Amino acid sequence: MASPQELRFDGQTVVVTGAGGGLGKQYALFYGSRGANVVVNDLGGSFKGEGKSTKAADVVVEEIRAKGGKAVGNYDSVENGEAIIETAIKNFGRVDVLINNAGILRDISFKNMKDQDWDLIMAVHVRGAYKCARAAWPYFRRQKYGRVISTASAAGLFGNFGQCNYSAAKLALVGFTETLAKEGVKYNILCNTIAPIAASRMTETIMPPDVLQVLKPEWVVPLVAVLTHKSNTETGSLYEVGGGHIAKLRWERSKGALYKADSSLTPGSIPTKWNEVNDFSQPEYPSGPANFMELLEAAQQLPPNDPGAPMDFKGKVVLITGAGAGLGRSYALLFAKLGARVIVNDLVNPDTVVQEIQKMGGEAIPNKANVTDGDAVIKSAIDAYGRIDVLINNAGILRDKAFTNMDDKMFDTVMEVHLRGTYKCTKAAWPYMLKQKYGRIINTTSTSGIYGNFGQANYAAAKCGILGFSRALAREGAKYNIWVNTIAPNAGTQLTRTIMPEEMVQAFKPDYVAPLVVLLCSDKTPDPPTGRLYEVGSGWVAQTRWQRTGGHGFPIDQPLTPEAVLKVWSKINDFNDGRADHPESNQDGLKSIMANMGNIVGGKKQGGKVNKEILGNIEKATKAQAQGTEFKYDERDVILYNLGVGAKRTDLPLVYENSDNFQVLPTFGVIPPFNAVAPFSLGDIVPNFSPMMLLHGEQYLEIRKFPIPTEATLVSYPKLVEVVDKGNAGIVVTGTTTKDGRTGEDLFYNESTVFIRGSGGFGGPAKGADRGAATKIHKPPQRKPDAVVEEKTSEEQAALYRLSGDRNPLHIDPEFSKVGGFKVPILHGLCFFGYAGRHVVQTYGLFKNVKVRFAGTVLPGQTLRTEMWREGNKVVFQTKVVETGKLCIAGAGAELVGGTAAKL
């Protein structure tokens, strides 16, 4: 990792899906503020995946642009990943970072879930992530650089009641991303997964308001920034993040129990070493399957297994999918041997296995239905026997291909058979199991799903998704005596024949997997377990679970930065400091995050000490030179601005280009610098910077050349003037010189002062410098005003003024204003500054400089009253909101030009 200097993304292009709100919006704003080109993708639908609109993306794009960033909107569904990535290529020529963030919820108990609830979740979360990553992959490979973030959740990691679909999708993304990490690493394509807990439209439905207040999306962004930066080396990793806490998760596998791999390995023999199966005292932390050849050789050296207690499945109806050969056949034969009535499902040939069972005196019937038609699969059991007690979802196919060569059909077919087939068969069996208050379900994952595997992005996604589905289903089934467990088997089958040498296929017999499956479906499992994951094969059985670092909790009353995350990166990733735990539920997942809610510094930033890093950054920033940002305007823009600050149709010099005295109001000088790119970042020069804590405090404007042209190309050069330390706040003054692009002459000079709460205490100067007119506070004389102008703003004033450049949604979108604590969108500060400036001009003539202090807010439609006192060549003024009697502009003054230039 790089040293904790500011992480920049200049020149890079970042694609964020689902970026119209919540987490995605915060990602987009962050990358825009750190120099990246941002593609803001959002379909604009509801959190349930209904409808569409361009508004959500457009608002974020405009907010980025308003702050000087570069962004474009994209309104495609993530299933049209090619179009999303094409937007990046067409607009910016490259794509460097992909954040798969788009998501919807369709929460519903499994018994009431409809196919649409399942399919929509899979389409958005899993197929959408695949489509976007697949479209970006060729560009990543060609440039030998790429960063991918996938978004899982606690529901996926641990399973959650009422979220079988969502849990499946979210864990599918873990296996998918682990595979991408393995395939991408040699091309410097690093892929990681996060499991965020954050307030959003989705979490509003399942979390209490007091918790949501602390779970700001801003807590997630810094981790993602670290993982997507060019300095990152982490790949294939999984992080839990939210509420100021970050921790890393990894798979932990028990040492497991070893049994002799021969005919003495029976379902009854497995419990004789059950403690070893679940013993994590000597764990492994694998990134792939166990060494089964080594395990097999060791197993062959053992004495015959203890037979244990006998198993009996008389009266039980067992249905096994994909049972025409391989693992499914072994299961079918063993269940039948123990008295079960077996339905042998196989799309190709179930009959041979049925005949084998019948020949040995067992009872079996064939079923040739496709597992994607789960109703037809289960119907055969109900028609024949009136019930179903055990369901083994085993059917599968392979479509292995390097991700760069994978096509949609390969991905969709594998997902359809494995994940949707498992869902469909289970869904069809579920009502019968609920009614009889009994059921045993075994779902089949794979080490490729758990750990990822080169050339199996489709298979890994499907298999890890099955695990997420199983864990959620186990929670719903427990109270009905329905157990759901998942196995990752290693065996020589028709599938593995394509990727294993023949001698290994022969050695890794399915017969060495079947005993565990039968045990887990019996009533004699020691625990009894449900919701667990076991790796099994070659006479070896082990449990696999999550391990999580103690991580690090950041104070929740201070903004979090990527640089702060980097400073404790080794602690976040440390599994060996004695703090690691093993979360198994959503509650466990939230434990560290909830515990961190009491982590409050309480305003004592930096403990009053000198922060040498911040002071050093300030020194550098004051010397930094801006490259200059161009601003073109014409007569139309002038008229639009004048109307935006209240000019009437009768004010012909302000609204009619053919007027003999057509002119630009001097307050127009604040517009050209608005989107100018500064040569410094606020996050560098004050600690704990958060845009949410920023207030525009004062504005100084100087007009350095008259007359102001009514059309021109200007160039603005921002510069850091000073940073003042007010203890609990920081004050930053930016000075911007705007020049005529044709002549090089100065036209305007602005000083903008912002007040940033929570960003002081770094040891800087407590008082700002005296810069004459730019810092002067004008006190009104102790007499009645010499002149008063009272004017009502229109209800549309903010909507009109924003067209001059400040498109902050706070001034137009009621949803945004509510977040800020306002019932309706408020008027821009520089808009009512323009009103007051126009009142001065129309009363006393043009001014060459003006200084104001913003003292309050104005709602569109309210009435402004500007009170003015003439003091020689200066006008001292203040502006009130008539309806409230409160000041909105205070301590203001303007120095008049005088002479003929003063006339309006």
Side-chain angles (χ1 to χ4, degrees), residues 388-389 429-439 441 482:
I388 177 168
D389 299 284
W430 197 249
Y432 301 103
M433 291 182 172
L434 286 177
K435 187 176 180 180
Q436 64 206 22
K437 289 188 168 50
Y438 183 92
I441 299 172
I482 304 171

Side-chain angles (χ1 to χ4, degrees), residues 80-100:
N80 193 6
E82 297 95 336
I84 296 172
I85 301 303
E86 186 181 0
T87 299
I89 303 305
K90 278 188 174 179
N91 285 274
F92 303 118
R94 61 185 293 124
V95 57
D96 301 275
V97 177
L98 169 63
I99 299 179
N100 283 314

Side-chain angles (χ1 to χ4, degrees), residues 259-260 262 264-273 303-309:
Y259 306 84
K260 187 173 182 68
D262 66 6
S264 71
L265 179 53
T266 65
S269 61
I270 303 287
T272 64
K273 297 183 180 180
N305 300 295
D306 181 339

Side-chain angles (χ1 to χ4, degrees), residues 317-325 328-333 336 341-358 363-369 377 380-381 385:
V317 177
V318 178
L319 190 150
I320 304 155
T321 67
R329 172 182 172 274
S330 289
Y331 303 157
L333 294 174
R341 291 175 289 184
V342 181
I343 293 89
V344 178
N345 162 267
D346 198 275
L347 191 59
V348 179
N349 178 24
D351 298 317
T352 302
V353 175
V354 169
Q355 290 163 11
E356 280 187 81
I357 291 171
Q358 290 171 343
E363 189 173 352
I365 61 168
N367 175 278
K368 292 189 74 169
V377 173
S380 58
Y385 304 117

